[in-house]
């Protein structure tokens, strides 16, 4: 063979190899699924997304080994509605979980409502295909036993039923009748109250790793919902004062370490190449917490708003051997796409008797050039006046996003926009330069958005507003209703008095917040 022919042969061989690696391969049927879900992490809070002082090497490795999405949306700007959508594939307005007023909202620690039983979670759907279903971490879709994960399709559960600041041991003896000390649950049993937050994330990682090891010979789904990086930024001793970003960076580093432990468990169990792992967060950074909250990176605003900073999230899909490494995808995807993607890959028909808002994102896994599966994204903020009128504040169709109503993270007063504000959020991701309402570009794109908005609103059915059912202190979770007799110094429902002081990491215990504006 001549030198030239040899070179051409080598080039052809390399091209064939590169083609396989670059394109990945068609997804196998019925992989395992792991959903790694952060709390209140902004788009800019990962080192792989450009944060200068937060270090997240394990999450970065997930991104480098798979697809990092730059236009990944959560369903809502606060915790509970976002999680309801992720679990069901449906916008939270359809399950009555968008909140009880204009501002949207979350389930309290004594909530009467929860994720309705006629909704189907991905755990319930995957069980029909023989999957083992496990959940670790923050639930926040109703603390009453009937609403807990083990009554929503999960075989087992280890975690906190709601946010880590809701009656938390992080606050100094935060004595409120409707917010007991933070309970840690195994299935529906309280095993610790208050919870030792200092060891919580390490225990989560251990439970998740054990779960993977126990289920490695079955098909399984693991939903791992971290309390990090929601305020307060508790950490174990190992991570105290380790980050140049301060407490928030310490918490991000501890969560990242837990991600590394869970990925190692998949490797050690020999199932990594048959496991699709997602990483994302429920909503944007909680900016009123100042340095204790995160960063939306290039996006405007954060949690509690419908600006991009409230809903644009880090998004990663990793599946070694199937998803080619090192890609950045600009297709519009959403957290509620996880449900239909799982259904497609597991061969489970999605429920036919309801609208599923999510789209199967698996075509993007094997074809980087495929078009966005979403024509439009509908962005809500609560239901004004109970549930008489849906609070559809913004709509994005293609590259254009219209704001009909806005607020900011400090002032919850709604500002109505007539004509609506319109931004090209690919040219202008920071939403600074609203289009001229008289321009042809504005008029033609607003016409598209208004038509889509009208059709979407017509698709809504009236359902009971779960958060408008309010709170009942009798529904709070309590390990011992008479514990004050035993521990008069502490709030009722204390069974682990040492945990009131256990986790402080050399820092003073935070003073209890006086305003109940915690989510
Ligand atoms: Mg959250």
């Amino acid at each position: 063979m001549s030198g030239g022919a040899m070179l051409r042969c080598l080039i052809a061989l390399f091209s064939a190899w590169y083609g396989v690696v670059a394109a990945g391969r068609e997804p196998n049927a019925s992989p395992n699924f792991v959903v790694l879900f952060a709390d209140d992490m902004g788009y800019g809070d990962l080192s792989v997304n450009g944060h200068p002082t937060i270090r997240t090497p394990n999450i970065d490795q997930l991104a480098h080994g798979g697809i990092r999405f730059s236009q990944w949306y959560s369903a809502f700007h606060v915790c509970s509605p976002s999680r309801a959508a992720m679990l069901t594939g449906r916008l939270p307005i359809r399950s009555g979980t968008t909140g009880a007023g204009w501002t949207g909202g979350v389930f309290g620690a004594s909530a009467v409502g929860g994720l309705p039983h006629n909704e189907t979670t991905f755990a319930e759907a995957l069980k029909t295909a023989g999957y083992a279903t496990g959940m670790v971490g923050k639930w926040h879709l109703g603390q009453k036993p009937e609403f807990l994960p083990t009554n929503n399709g999960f075989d087992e559960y280890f975690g906190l039923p709601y946010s880590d600041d809701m009656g938390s041991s992080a606050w100094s003896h935060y004595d409120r009748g409707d917010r007991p000390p933070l309970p840690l649950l195994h299935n529906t049993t309280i095993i610790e109250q208050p919870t030792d937050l200092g060891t919580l994330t390490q225990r989560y990682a251990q439970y998740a790793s054990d779960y993977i090891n126990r289920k490695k010979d079955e098909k399984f789904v693991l939903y791992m919902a971290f309390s990090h990086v929601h305020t307060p930024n508790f950490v174990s001793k190992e991570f105290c004062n380790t980050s140049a970003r301060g407490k928030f960076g310490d918490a991000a580093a501890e969560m990242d370490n837990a991600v590394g432990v869970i990925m190692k468990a998949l490797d050690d169990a020999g199932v990594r190449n048959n496991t699709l792992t997602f990483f994302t967060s429920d909503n944007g950074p909680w900016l009123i917490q100042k340095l204790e909250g995160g960063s939306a990176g290039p996006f405007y605003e954060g949690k509690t708003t419908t600006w991009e900073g409230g809903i644009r999230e880090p998004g990663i899909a990793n599946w070694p051997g199937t998803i080619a490494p090192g890609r950045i995808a600009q297709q519009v995807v959403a957290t509620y796409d996880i449900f239909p993607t799982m259904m497609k890959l597991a061969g489970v028909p999605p429920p036919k008797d309801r609208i599923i808002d999510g789209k199967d994102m698996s075509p993007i896994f094997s074809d980087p050039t495929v078009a966005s599966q979403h024509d439009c994204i509908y962005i809500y903020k609560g239901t004004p006046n109970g549930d008489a009128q849906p609070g559809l504040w913004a709509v994005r169709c293609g590259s254009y996003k219209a704001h009909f109503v806005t607020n900011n993270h400090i002032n919850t007063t709604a500002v109505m926009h007539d004509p609506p504000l319109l931004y090209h959020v690919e040219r202008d991701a920071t939403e600074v330069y609203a289009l001229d309402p008289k321009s042809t570009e504005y008029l033609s794109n607003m016409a598209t958005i208004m038509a889509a908005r009208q059709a979407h609103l017509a698709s809504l059915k009236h359902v009971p507003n779960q958060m408008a059912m309010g709170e009942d202190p009798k529904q709070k979770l309590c390990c011992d209703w008479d514990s004050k007799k035993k521990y008069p110094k502490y709030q009722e429902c204390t069974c682990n008095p040492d945990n009131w002081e256990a986790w402080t990491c050399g820092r003073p215990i935070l003073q209890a917040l006086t305003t109940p504006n915690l989510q």
Side-chain angles (χ1 to χ4, degrees):
M1 188 182 289
S2 70
M6 175 81 81
L7 184 62
R8 282 194 297 279
C9 184
L10 284 171
I11 289 171
L13 280 171
F14 176 79
S15 299
W17 168 82
Y18 182 78
V20 169
V21 170
R25 64 164 194 250
E26 286 301 312
N28 292 336
S30 302
N32 305 311
F33 301 105
V34 174
V35 179
L36 303 170
F37 210 58
D39 196 355
D40 289 12
M41 175 168 258
Y43 184 90
D45 288 322
L46 295 176
S47 39
V48 72
N49 277 2
H51 197 283
T53 52
I54 291 173
R55 300 263 64 84
T56 50
N58 293 293
I59 300 169
D60 296 359
Q61 201 174 333
L62 270 184
H64 294 313
I67 300 177
R68 177 162 63 90
F69 292 89
S70 62
Q71 300 205 70
W72 177 301
Y73 285 88
S74 75
F76 211 82
H77 54 80
V78 290
C79 303
S80 301
S82 171
R83 289 157 200 264
M86 197 269 288
L87 282 157
T88 62
R90 284 153 56 77
L91 288 170
I93 190 74
R94 301 195 194 280
S95 57
T97 57
T98 51
W102 265 116
T103 56
V106 302
F107 289 110
S110 305
V112 174
L115 184 65
H117 291 297
N118 59 4
E119 293 294 326
T120 300
T121 66
F122 62 63
E124 288 169 322
L126 290 173
K127 275 174 83 73
T128 66
Y131 274 74
T133 58
M135 181 185 170
V136 180
K138 172 179 168 176
W139 174 241
H140 215 179
L141 291 167
Q143 86 296 339
K144 283 168 67 177
E146 67 187 88
F147 293 123
L148 288 171
T150 46
N151 286 316
N152 266 301
F154 290 97
D155 302 328
E156 56 187 285
Y157 171 57
F158 174 70
L160 300 181
Y162 38 74
S163 298
D164 55 0
D165 64 342
M166 293 169 60
S168 169
S169 50
W171 312 122
S172 177
H173 305 173
Y174 184 38
D175 211 344
R176 267 183 54 168
D178 60 342
R179 285 188 174 167
L182 203 57
L184 180 63
L185 303 183
H186 185 215
N187 299 328
T188 56
T189 304
I190 302 171
I191 58 171
E192 194 173 300
Q193 192 170 20
T195 302
D196 176 5
L197 291 174
T199 58
L200 183 64
T201 300
Q202 292 182 342
R203 286 187 283 169
Y204 279 172
Q206 186 63 50
Y207 194 100
S209 301
D210 290 346
Y211 180 80
I212 289 165
N213 197 43
R214 281 191 279 120
K215 302 298 176 186
K216 64 187 176 190
D217 297 323
E218 306 174 39
K219 294 184 291 188
F220 67 84
V221 58
L222 170 65
Y223 172 31
M224 172 69 251
F226 294 100
S227 282
H228 287 324
V229 287
H230 195 291
T231 314
N233 293 304
F234 61 86
V235 289
S236 63
K237 286 192 179 72
E238 190 184 339
F239 290 91
C240 281
N241 306 315
T242 57
S243 172
R245 172 62 176 82
K247 292 183 199 175
F248 186 94
D250 290 352
E254 184 173 51
M255 182 180 71
D256 178 78
N257 180 70
V259 168
V261 169
I262 293 166
M263 290 299 106
K264 183 172 184 306
L266 291 172
D267 286 332
D268 292 347
V271 297
R272 182 73 186 275
N273 286 0
N274 194 34
T275 301
L276 169 59
T277 301
F278 292 104
F279 176 89
T280 187
S281 174
D282 63 342
N283 53 257
W286 202 4
L287 300 178
I288 60 167
Q289 301 293 342
K290 300 176 181 168
L291 286 174
E292 294 255 12
S295 163
F299 303 112
Y300 180 56
E301 268 291 347
K303 177 176 177 174
T304 73
T305 82
T306 50
W307 296 97
E308 293 289 286
I311 47 176
R312 192 80 79 90
E313 292 303 320
I316 296 168
N318 179 288
W319 189 355
T322 296
I323 295 178
R327 279 176 44 206
I328 298 174
Q330 293 189 0
Q331 287 92 342
V332 170
V333 293
T335 302
Y336 41 96
D337 295 348
I338 288 174
F339 179 102
T341 304
M342 286 177 170
M343 298 308 113
K344 177 71 188 326
L345 294 172
V348 178
K352 292 268 189 295
D353 60 345
R354 64 199 67 189
I355 291 172
I356 300 292
D357 296 287
K359 308 287 183 190
D360 168 26
M361 69 167 82
S362 66
I364 304 171
F365 296 167
S366 50
D367 182 0
T369 64
V370 73
S372 291
Q373 306 290 301
H374 289 276
D375 294 328
C376 299
I377 294 275
Y378 302 94
I379 304 160
Y380 281 84
K381 185 173 167 66
T383 45
N385 307 318
D387 46 16
Q389 182 188 351
L392 182 56
W393 281 32
V395 176
R396 174 176 173 176
C397 293
S399 305
Y400 294 87
K401 179 181 172 193
H403 290 274
F404 300 91
V405 193
T406 57
N407 71 312
N408 64 51
H409 70 275
I410 295 169
N411 185 353
T412 55
T413 304
V415 178
M416 314 294 286
H417 298 285
D418 186 15
L421 299 174
L422 186 69
Y423 297 92
H424 186 298
V425 288
E426 292 184 330
R427 285 200 305 258
D428 178 20
T430 309
E431 297 174 285
V432 173
Y433 304 104
L435 272 65
D436 177 356
K438 295 189 184 66
S439 67
T440 307
E441 185 181 10
Y442 180 99
L443 293 169
S444 63
N445 286 289
M446 271 310 298
T448 302
I449 287 174
M450 292 305 288
R453 178 178 183 268
Q454 192 174 3
H456 168 76
L457 290 174
S459 78
L460 298 180
K461 286 184 181 162
H462 177 86
V463 294
N465 186 321
Q466 295 293 317
M467 287 154 195
M469 295 175 190
E471 308 236 359
D472 174 1
K474 289 197 285 294
Q475 301 298 340
K476 68 185 178 185
L477 297 175
C478 187
C479 62
D480 179 358
W481 290 90
D482 289 325
S483 68
K484 258 201 170 303
K485 289 180 188 155
K486 205 168 171 187
Y487 307 111
K489 181 180 169 188
Y490 297 112
Q491 187 180 342
E492 67 176 355
C493 308
T494 289
C495 292
N496 300 84
D498 292 348
N499 288 352
W500 282 111
E501 318 290 343
W503 72 280
T504 56
C505 190
R507 299 165 179 148
I509 292 179
L510 301 171
Q511 291 300 306
L513 295 186
T514 52
T515 52
N517 185 27
L518 309 177
Q519 294 176 332

